[in-house]
């Protein structure tokens, strides 16, 4: 016992200090204080997920007949095969109307503090509901019209009844929102970075690990942190100078000021999640930047006041690629839409 | 042996004549002379199907970046979950342009004599190719522009090289067409009617069998026959009177006359395949009729000069529902699109 204690003490003495730990061991511990792996689903007390709701929600996600010109579905601007975005600077909705901002991915979105770039949607359910009457999205004149259309497609009744049993009239806009929300709450994309956070230090390559370290050292993770590597707070875009000086934005977007009318919220946006960011160009709220390398460089200068080296940019981009995840197979299997 | 022969002879004697056979037995024999079950794939000597081509073709089928406004993919007008159609009277292409005609399903289409309502596309490959520069579809200014875009999306090179090995430059419009065509040649939807034709007489219900008989007795199968229950010939729409008198069409479409400039081809269209017809409203080349019952009634009057009874219409619609097939699962699993 005395010998054992002595050995332990000796081992403690030779344990290297934090700064001389093997780089990735140290890195994993640091990363775990800042980031967390994805949950299996993004649950909600208000909208418990059931298979029946998810089935209905997935079907509704592809439904075009609930838009004023019958061409817009959720999937129009959130194409699963494009990682829940549409590849456009700004989305095109009904009757070719341009949306005010870039389409944010629906993947891993339900866990954010709010939805949309300026946080003017409380949840994925709220977003799905309001999209129905959004002038540039589905463009319906009213929720009543949405319900009239859904009730007119006979095949939906059975799906709604199964998803919302024991309701006198289950085919409602509220239930549309809950069903689409339930589906979106299943859209998590576990990535090599999650494997790393769970302890597999070989899940990231050496350059990716250097990038992760740089990402934390520079201060990117001050805002891009947590489960979603972003999505958890609001922040002014352009701390060191106006963002449009570097992004080349054609219009100046006042961001969250439109929601709160507070001067302090001018040019404030939700910090976007960086999950799957390598797969979702173009970048920023107005899709003004096409290349991820440019987006990283601009962020360094605008937010941190730092001119990043090409090496730093390369490392960070390599790290960001470790956030590219796997879309759940079930989400990729197209539903058959009910007939009129 | 002598006894055995005698029994056989006796059995032959008591075998009922054709006219007194059980109705559906007789019906199966009649149907087999007019219709054939679907093949497993719709092959082509010019474009042999390989898994690599199909994988590339499915990916390209969902690609929006090859349209002039980056919103149009093949899947925009041929939504797999809507049985390869878009549910609109006439499709909406790039920049909200209205296409001249209703979107025909891509399911089971490769086996038709030609593509499009007026047969102005020789094959699914030809259709895919020409769509790239179609003013109301993808709207690109040239094939060169299509190739420039495809070559600019780096992730495609590997997919094209695998699909077209040993070619110096595989990323071409010709190979785009072959890949999309190969994918579309896999889009067969076997249905209860195919099971019936293969000998399972219980695959159709009694009303469906009566409908099949009525369909043949009335003469519908004079044009809607073969593997695709249509798709095999051209025919004037409106034999007994101008079609627009009954369909309520807002514009008069001269049909195949636009292709051949022959007077005899005025108002001539490709006889549409009736496979999955119950799932693909609205009907006719201009989507002018919403309900299948109305479409059947109108066809009886326009093409056969017969006023169908409600019972006949109901039976025929029941039979047509037996043509609703199963979309191959692989076709429903969305591909991930390569990034820029």
């Amino acid at each position: 016992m005395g010998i054992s204690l002595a050995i332990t003490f000796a081992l403690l003495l030779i344990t290297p200090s934090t700064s001389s730990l093997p780089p990735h061991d140290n890195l994993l511990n640091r990363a775990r204080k800042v980031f967390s792996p994805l949950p299996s689903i993004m649950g909600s007390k208000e909208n418990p997920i059931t298979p029946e709701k998810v089935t209905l929600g997935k079907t509704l996600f592809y439904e075009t007949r609930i838009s004023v010109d019958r061409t817009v579905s959720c999937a129009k601007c959130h194409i699963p095969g494009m990682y829940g975005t549409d590849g456009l600077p700004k989305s095109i909705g009904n009757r070719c109307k341009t949306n005010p901002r870039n389409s944010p991915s629906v993947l891993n979105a339900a866990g954010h503090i709010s939805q949309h770039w300026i946080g003017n949607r409380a949840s994925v359910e709220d977003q799905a509901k309001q999209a129905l009457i959004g002038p540039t999205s589905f463009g319906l004149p009213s929720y009543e019209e949405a319900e009239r259309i859904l009730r007119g497609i006979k095949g939906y009744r059975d799906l709604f009844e199964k998803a919302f049993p024991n309701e006198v009239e289950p085919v409602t806009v509220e239930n549309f929102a809950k069903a689409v929300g339930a589906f979106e709450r299943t859209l998590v994309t576990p990535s090599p970075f999650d494997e790393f956070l769970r302890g597999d230090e070989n899940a990231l390559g050496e350059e990716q690990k250097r990038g992760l370290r740089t990402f934390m050292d520079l201060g990117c993770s001050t805002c891009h942190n947590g489960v979603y590597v972003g999505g958890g707070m609001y922040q002014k875009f352009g701390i060191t100078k106006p963002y449009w000086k570097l992004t080349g934005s054609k219009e100046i977007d006042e961001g969250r000021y439109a929601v709160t009318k507070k001067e302090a919220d001018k040019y404030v946006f939700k910090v976007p999640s960086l999950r799957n960011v390598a797969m979702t160009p173009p970048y920023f709220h107005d899709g003004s930047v096409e290349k991820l390398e440019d987006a990283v460089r601009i962020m360094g200068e605008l937010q941190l006041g730092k001119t990043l080296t090409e090496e730093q940019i390369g490392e960070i981009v390599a790290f960001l690629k470790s956030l590219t995840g796997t879309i759940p197979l079930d989400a990729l299997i197209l539903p058959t839409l009910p007939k009129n």
Side-chain angles (χ1 to χ4, degrees), chain A:
Chain A
M1 193 70 167
I3 291 166
S4 162
L5 248 176
I7 290 171
T8 305
F9 191 61
L11 280 171
L12 279 172
L13 281 177
I14 58 165
T15 297
S17 70
T18 306
S19 63
S20 61
L21 269 173
H24 53 259
D25 187 353
N26 186 4
L27 184 67
L28 177 55
N29 290 337
R30 272 187 74 190
R32 281 174 164 170
K33 290 177 186 154
V34 180
F35 307 103
S36 301
L38 281 171
S40 57
I41 53 169
M42 299 169 286
S44 155
K45 280 184 190 162
E46 292 75 33
N47 187 22
I49 295 173
T50 65
E52 292 78 10
K53 262 192 224 177
V54 173
T55 297
L56 171 61
K58 186 166 84 163
T59 309
L60 292 168
F61 191 84
Y62 289 94
E63 182 54 73
T64 51
R65 289 167 287 186
I66 46 169
S67 63
V68 69
D69 64 354
R70 297 174 63 168
T71 71
V72 181
S73 66
C74 306
K76 183 172 201 283
C77 301
H78 304 290
I79 304 170
M82 293 184 97
Y83 279 82
T85 67
D86 59 10
L88 296 169
K90 295 180 181 179
S91 295
I92 306 295
N94 76 85
R95 293 176 180 148
C96 280
K97 288 179 196 150
T98 301
N99 276 261
R101 296 180 188 87
N102 178 262
S103 172
S105 177
V106 284
L107 304 180
N108 315 297
H112 300 187
I113 43 162
S114 61
Q115 299 299 310
H116 278 194
W117 279 94
I118 60 171
N120 56 341
R121 299 291 183 269
S123 61
V124 285
E125 288 81 8
D126 183 38
Q127 192 279 328
K129 180 181 169 181
Q130 291 203 50
L132 289 169
I133 57 165
T136 57
S137 46
F138 293 74
L140 290 181
S142 66
Y143 290 132
E144 289 69 33
E145 175 65 6
E147 289 178 346
R148 193 193 63 75
I149 295 171
L150 287 171
R151 289 171 191 167
I153 302 173
K154 288 175 204 145
Y156 273 122
R157 181 150 300 273
D158 184 49
L159 288 169
F160 272 90
E161 281 175 355
K162 282 184 178 145
F164 302 98
N166 308 320
E167 295 192 13
V168 177
E169 175 48 273
V171 188
T172 64
V173 160
E174 291 303 325
N175 286 344
F176 165 89
K178 283 183 181 169
V180 172
F183 169 58
E184 291 187 357
R185 289 179 182 282
T186 69
L187 300 179
V188 288
T189 66
S191 69
F193 187 52
D194 296 286
E195 291 170 44
F196 177 81
L197 290 174
R198 290 188 197 282
D200 177 3
E201 298 183 30
N202 295 319
L204 300 196
E206 286 310 314
E207 190 186 11
Q208 293 184 312
K209 287 178 192 166
R210 287 198 304 277
L212 168 57
R213 184 182 296 278
T214 303
F215 190 83
M216 293 190 291
D217 286 348
L218 288 173
C220 309
S221 57
T222 310
C223 298
H224 293 284
N225 55 35
V227 174
Y228 303 99
V229 197
M233 66 179 77
Y234 301 101
Q235 184 56 268
K236 185 175 175 180
F237 185 27
I239 290 176
T240 63
K241 63 185 83 171
Y243 71 79
W244 54 91
K245 302 280 187 191
L246 293 189
T247 59
S249 300
K250 287 168 194 158
E251 292 166 59
I252 295 173
D253 186 333
E254 296 188 320
R256 207 165 147 69
Y257 177 74
V259 183
T260 65
K261 299 292 170 197
K262 290 181 188 163
E263 198 65 25
D265 281 333
K266 268 199 177 162
Y267 321 122
V268 166
F269 296 87
K270 188 177 72 175
V271 174
S273 164
L274 297 182
R275 288 195 173 269
N276 303 307
V277 69
M279 298 303 283
T280 58
Y283 299 107
F284 301 137
H285 65 275
D286 54 5
S288 51
V289 171
E290 187 64 37
K291 285 188 181 299
L292 186 53
E293 288 77 5
D294 293 335
V296 170
R297 179 182 298 109
I298 289 168
M299 287 304 283
E301 192 161 343
L302 280 182
Q303 304 303 107
L304 304 167
K306 290 172 183 164
T307 303
L308 306 191
T309 65
E310 289 308 306
E311 193 183 353
Q312 287 174 318
I313 292 168
E315 285 168 0
I316 291 174
V317 167
F319 161 61
L320 293 176
K321 286 182 179 169
S322 80
L323 297 169
T324 299
T326 306
I327 303 172
L329 178 62
D330 188 61
L332 292 176
I333 301 177
L334 280 174
T336 298
L337 301 186
K339 202 186 68 72
N340 269 322

